[in-house]
Amino acid sequence: MRRPLRAILAIGLLAAGSIVAVALGGTASADTQICEQYGSTVIQSRYVVQNNRWGTSAQQCINVTSTGFEITTQNGSNPTNGAPTAYPSIFLGCHYTNCSPGTNLPIQVSQISSATSSINYRYVSGAVYNASYDIWLDPSPRRDGVNQMEIMIWLNRQGPIQPIGSVVGTATIDGRSWEVWRGSNGSNNVISYLAPSAISSANLNLLAFINDTRNRGAITNSWYLTSIQAGFEPWQGGAGLAVTSFSAAVNGGGNPTTPPPTTTPPTTPPPSGGGTCAVKYTANSWNNGFTADVQITNTGSSTVNGWTLAYSLPSGQQVTNTWNATVTQSGSSVTARNVSHNGTIAPGGTASFGYQGTLSGAYSSPTSFTLNGTTCTRS
């Protein structure tokens, strides 16, 4: 739900007007107080701790220790039906060009042999917040800006708040049952795993959550894991919340995916292997619009080399933002073409893309699709 930002400042101002020095990319050898909006520091020569107060102008301060951090001041207060005030957190990887020392991230999902993390939280009463673990992924190995996919693991929820989107099912991961939510915040897609009760200490198999997200068609093995982050999203209050210890490790040695060719494929001959196909179209409401995830399955016996999916959107729907395909719309007619990394669909394989759209009137889904001119079945 957060929209993380970065800023380059060297000091933070207390409400009383005094100045507090903060570390921006430095190393915390002793307890370090950070009050600057996007201030950060390094601990254990391995992890970055960030204040990341992005959703309010009210003051927030954190005290960084050698093993984690504690929120010491949290004066923000946001409505519970909107975004939180901040995401103070500790991370491994790259976040808005701020990369943890010696990180091997970004790393392609197909190359990951294991991704694990251990975390301990300390909770407080009388505040509205979640304890969330973020896993960020993108089709490219980017080290800046907003990634296209955010996996959120909600280990605790206090107050009338909920994940983005709507419930789409359940999953059993790490021996626990999780309620699964899916949606978009307008900047990126989000799949959230909500624990039924508070978890204060956990050893997480992060690769299992990534694989479950992939199996839902939200990413592919060619995507990149860019960062893993643990912290809190406070809406109201939150002083005293703490991550008392954190560790994370991502190991390579999986099955590398051959990178797509760097040359532009010829425009002729046209895409081949239309064959037999099936399309799964999943829509979720979002504010005054909707998001749609489209999964194409090659049910034929020959490989699809380059694809164009054509269909019509019902009246009142307009595509505004897309990912994993080049999507154009003329009136109600929509044409989606593959991008470089998902143009080949082997027999039995899938390719996925999605988009955000505006909506006028009642919602309904498209009823028919053609892939390279061949009519597909609905799945």
Side-chain angles (χ1 to χ4, degrees):
M1 186 173 292
R2 64 192 177 88
R3 299 178 183 87
L5 300 172
R6 293 287 302 155
I8 301 176
L9 296 171
I11 60 174
L13 297 179
L14 288 175
S18 59
I19 296 176
V20 175
V22 298
L24 287 176
T27 299
S29 57
D31 287 10
T32 301
Q33 181 175 239
I34 300 178
C35 295
E36 190 270 312
Q37 185 174 9
Y38 303 112
S40 68
T41 191
V42 173
I43 65 171
Q44 300 177 32
S45 301
R46 177 172 173 79
Y47 306 115
V48 176
V49 180
Q50 59 180 354
N51 197 27
N52 200 15
R53 174 179 55 81
W54 63 268
T56 180
S57 59
Q59 187 187 47
Q60 173 180 280
C61 296
I62 60 174
N63 185 63
V64 182
T65 69
S66 61
T67 60
F69 70 91
E70 176 185 353
I71 302 175
T72 55
T73 304
Q74 172 46 259
N75 294 330
S77 180
N78 282 357
T80 56
N81 62 349
T85 63
Y87 185 56
S89 49
I90 181 171
F91 72 84
L92 177 76
C94 295
H95 176 89
Y96 279 70
T97 72
N98 189 8
C99 294
S100 58
T103 183
N104 61 341
L105 304 184
I107 185 174
Q108 201 165 41
V109 170
S110 63
Q111 296 178 330
I112 301 173
S113 59
S114 66
T116 57
S117 182
S118 176
I119 189 164
N120 286 277
Y121 287 99
R122 185 173 70 238
Y123 299 136
V124 298
S125 60
V128 176
Y129 65 91
N130 69 27
S132 62
Y133 201 112
D134 271 17
I135 303 170
W136 287 94
L137 302 113
D138 196 80
S140 64
R142 66 182 305 160
R143 293 173 171 82
D144 62 346
V146 178
N147 287 192
Q148 290 189 17
M149 187 70 228
E150 177 184 15
I151 301 172
M152 297 191 73
I153 307 172
W154 286 43
L155 294 118
N156 190 7
R157 171 176 63 170
Q158 296 296 314
I161 56 174
Q162 66 181 41
I164 286 172
S166 57
V167 178
V168 295
T170 60
T172 300
I173 301 175
D174 276 349
R176 294 184 173 98
S177 179
W178 307 85
E179 188 176 69
V180 183
W181 293 62
R182 187 167 184 172
S184 170
N185 64 17
S187 298
N188 54 268
N189 295 317
V190 186
I191 290 182
S192 302
Y193 297 85
L194 175 61
S197 59
I199 300 171
S200 59
S201 178
N203 294 308
L204 298 173
N205 179 1
L206 304 180
L207 186 56
F209 288 94
I210 294 171
N211 288 340
D212 186 79
T213 297
R214 180 203 60 208
N215 294 340
R216 295 174 187 274
I219 65 169
T220 69
N221 279 337
S222 64
W223 282 47
Y224 291 82
L225 170 64
T226 63
S227 70
I228 50 181
Q229 310 177 356
F232 301 95
E233 289 186 324
W235 272 258
Q236 299 168 12
L241 292 171
V243 171
T244 58
S245 67
F246 172 87
S247 65
V250 179
N251 297 309
N255 298 312
T257 298
T258 301
T262 57
T263 57
T264 303
T267 56
T268 56
S272 62
T276 307
C277 52
V279 172
K280 181 179 181 181
Y281 191 95
T282 305
N284 292 288
S285 62
W286 172 248
N287 288 340
N288 295 321
F290 68 99
T291 60
D293 292 308
V294 187
Q295 179 176 286
I296 306 166
T297 301
N298 180 3
T299 58
S301 58
S302 59
T303 298
V304 174
N305 294 305
W307 52 263
T308 297
L309 188 73
Y311 54 97
S312 294
L313 283 178
S315 176
Q317 298 183 22
Q318 181 67 44
V319 175
T320 60
N321 182 41
T322 67
W323 49 90
N324 291 337
T326 301
V327 181
T328 57
Q329 181 175 358
S330 176
S332 62
S333 299
V334 173
T335 302
R337 294 180 173 85
N338 67 273
V339 291
S340 61
H341 64 79
N342 64 357
T344 299
I345 313 177
T350 62
S352 299
F353 69 95
Y355 52 85
Q356 182 180 3
T358 57
L359 175 64
S360 175
Y363 175 81
S364 59
S365 294
T367 57
S368 62
F369 302 84
T370 61
L371 181 69
N372 296 346
T374 299
T375 300
C376 301
T377 59
R378 289 291 303 274
S379 62

